[in-house]
Amino acid sequence: MALGRPREFDTDTALDLALHVFWRKGYEGASMADLTEAMGITKPSLYAAFGNKEDLFRKALDRYVDGPGGYFRTGLKKPTAREAVEHILYESVEAVTDPKNPGCLAVQGALCCGDAAETIKQELTARRSKSEEDLRLRFTRAIAEGDLPADADAGDLARYVSAILQGMAVQAAGGAPREQLRKLADMAMRSWPPV
Amino acid sequence: MALGRPREFDTDTALDLALHVFWRKGYEGASMADLTEAMGITKPSLYAAFGNKEDLFRKALDRYVDGPGGYFRTGLKKPTAREAVEHILYESVEAVTDPKNPGCLAVQGALCCGDAAETIKQELTARRSKSEEDLRLRFTRAIAEGDLPADADAGDLARYVSAILQGMAVQAAGGAPREQLRKLADMAMRSWPPV
DNA sequence: GGACTTATCTACTGAACGGTAGAAAACTTT
DNA sequence: AAAGTTTTCTACCGTTCAGTAGATAAGTCC
């Protein structure tokens, strides 16, 4: 066992609780008081375990990507581009319409912000770009493998799917019901691949 | 002329300056210090002229809708649904990629927030819903007039266009270049109306 | 000119912000 | 049991937040 007084809370569950606060309120909107209250720990414990607010957010974001946002990576592994897009779109609908925390952390965490949160905004921007790039690479492979038209533009398709996902995230943040977003995904799929 | 000491600044230009601060930083991210500095007035002058921060934001939002966001209303007046969507999409691309303040105020003003800004978030959500409803009504008319298929679902189409617009806003907030968003609009138009 | 009205300024309020000092408590090691 | 290590707690730090009091200045009205 580790030296010293043992920690009285589980860091993973505490991080999950912090994640949900950030998810609902955004980086700037979530105060340290909000976070400690939700996590059930005091501020010094939080700082000792996770660093500062920015560190905590980054750790929560990692957890988000591996947990509630894991459908993205899973989808990329599907055998065809169509199946990948289908999986990502419909799983995204379920994720962003979770009534406990509607929307997408990568979109609403810090879409724009005051000066203090600028680096967090950049981090989220970079993550969204990375996701779009992952889609692009997947579509490039699909073109090579013949399950997308040879004259398709992988970059355009990736941007299109990203925009749909982000649009759904905005609508979900506004309380759009699951049903409606499913119909949105239906529409996107009916015209896939877009010409 | 009005009674009392005359105001030394123009309220409309001051409101424009405030609008651009809110646009770049969001409601929570824009501090009163940011605002007064940009507007070139002191805090008491601001409060006397515009009320409190929330009032100021609402007035800036009205100005946004009538100014930089005016393309939406203009587009709805186009003779056909296709022309309306085309106008709104391409004008939106220009608006959200304005390098001075990328993105859309109605999306990034308060997509999610702390408790204090909750009413602002609701106001923005309501405005986005209103826009979607305006699109739906326009498409309903278009179906009646025969410039959309009789079996089209006006609500679905409105949601789809809204999602594209909001997705573009998110991408623009992340610095997506105008060229790329134009190609996104191209794709949306090529498959219009979506089946 | 004097009364009245409104805008402007400096200086300030209380509350909330992120973050920390320092002492006490709980464990392992020897 | 004593030493060493780490967590926990209360209480606090300085800063920034939105918002305001009160005095002064600049006009109009009579």
Side-chain angles (χ1 to χ4, degrees):
Chain A
M1 194 173 182
L3 225 65
R5 178 171 176 171
R7 188 171 277 134
E8 292 179 4
F9 62 94
D10 181 68
T11 52
D12 281 344
T13 62
L15 198 50
D16 270 334
L17 293 163
L19 163 58
H20 289 91
V21 175
F22 280 129
W23 197 341
R24 265 181 292 117
K25 301 195 169 189
Y27 177 73
E28 279 184 324
S31 73
M32 294 305 291
D34 290 332
L35 291 162
T36 51
E37 193 191 5
M39 299 163 87
I41 62 177
T42 61
K43 277 204 282 182
S45 294
L46 189 156
Y47 278 86
F50 301 104
N52 61 13
K53 188 183 182 183
E54 201 172 314
D55 294 334
L56 176 64
F57 182 84
R58 290 195 145 88
K59 282 166 181 150
L61 183 56
D62 285 335
R63 208 165 164 77
Y64 175 75
V65 171
D66 290 339
Y71 62 85
F72 195 87
R73 207 173 303 173
T74 314
L76 289 175
K77 292 179 191 148
K78 295 278 173 183
T80 65
R82 162 169 276 274
E83 286 169 285
V85 171
E86 198 163 29
H87 182 272
I88 290 172
L89 282 179
Y90 286 101
E91 288 299 312
S92 179
V93 169
E94 304 303 308
V96 300
T97 54
D98 178 347
K100 288 206 310 294
N101 22 247
C104 168
L105 180 62
V107 171
Q108 70 201 13
L111 190 54
C112 74
C113 59
D115 303 329
E118 195 64 31
T119 65
I120 293 295
K121 173 186 153 191
Q122 287 169 13
E123 164 90 30
L124 291 179
T125 300
R127 297 242 187 181
R128 292 196 303 270
S129 294
K130 173 68 165 54
S131 293
E132 187 175 306
E133 175 68 5
D134 288 343
L135 281 175
R136 191 183 68 79
L137 292 173
R138 181 64 190 83
F139 295 155
T140 300
R141 194 189 108 196
I143 292 169
E145 291 174 349
D147 72 84
L148 274 180
D151 64 342
D153 184 316
D156 286 355
L157 294 179
R159 200 146 42 234
Y160 177 77
V161 173
S162 293
I164 294 282
L165 290 170
Q166 290 158 2
M168 292 198 315
V170 172
Q171 303 218 349
R178 198 163 276 186
E179 277 301 299
Q180 291 189 1
L181 296 191
R182 284 206 189 105
K183 290 169 84 177
L184 188 53
D186 291 343
M187 281 184 60
M189 286 314 300
R190 265 196 302 263
S191 56
W192 181 264
V195 267
Chain B
M1 195 176 182
L3 227 64
R5 177 170 177 173
R7 189 171 276 133
E8 293 180 3
F9 63 94
D10 180 69
T11 52
D12 281 344
T13 61
L15 198 50
D16 270 334
L17 293 164
L19 163 58
H20 288 91
V21 175
F22 280 128
W23 197 342
R24 265 181 291 119
K25 301 196 169 186
Y27 177 73
E28 279 184 323
S31 72
M32 295 305 289
D34 290 332
L35 291 162
T36 52
E37 193 191 4
M39 299 163 86
I41 62 177
T42 61
K43 277 207 278 183
S45 294
L46 189 156
Y47 278 88
F50 303 104
N52 60 14
K53 189 183 182 184
E54 200 171 315
D55 294 333
L56 177 64
F57 182 84
R58 290 195 146 89
K59 282 167 182 150
L61 184 56
D62 285 335
R63 208 165 165 78
Y64 175 76
V65 171
D66 290 339
Y71 62 86
F72 195 87
R73 207 173 302 172
T74 314
L76 290 175
K77 293 178 190 149
K78 294 279 173 182
T80 65
R82 161 170 277 274
E83 284 169 286
V85 171
E86 197 163 29
H87 183 271
I88 289 171
L89 281 180
Y90 286 102
E91 287 299 312
S92 179
V93 169
E94 303 304 307
V96 300
T97 53
D98 178 347
K100 287 205 310 294
N101 23 245
C104 169
L105 180 62
V107 171
Q108 70 201 16
L111 190 54
C112 74
C113 59
D115 303 330
E118 195 65 31
T119 65
I120 294 294
K121 173 186 152 188
Q122 287 169 12
E123 164 89 29
L124 291 179
T125 300
R127 298 243 187 179
R128 291 195 303 268
S129 294
K130 173 67 165 53
S131 293
E132 186 175 308
E133 175 67 5
D134 288 343
L135 281 175
R136 190 182 69 77
L137 292 172
R138 181 65 189 83
F139 295 155
T140 302
R141 196 189 105 195
I143 292 169
E145 291 175 348
D147 72 85
L148 275 179
D151 64 342
D153 184 315
D156 286 355
L157 294 179
R159 201 148 39 236
Y160 176 77
V161 173
S162 293
I164 294 283
L165 289 170
Q166 290 158 3
M168 292 198 315
V170 172
Q171 304 218 348
R178 199 162 275 185
E179 277 301 300
Q180 291 190 1
L181 296 190
R182 285 207 188 105
K183 290 169 84 177
L184 187 53
D186 291 343
M187 281 185 60
M189 286 314 300
R190 266 195 301 263
S191 56
W192 180 264
V195 269

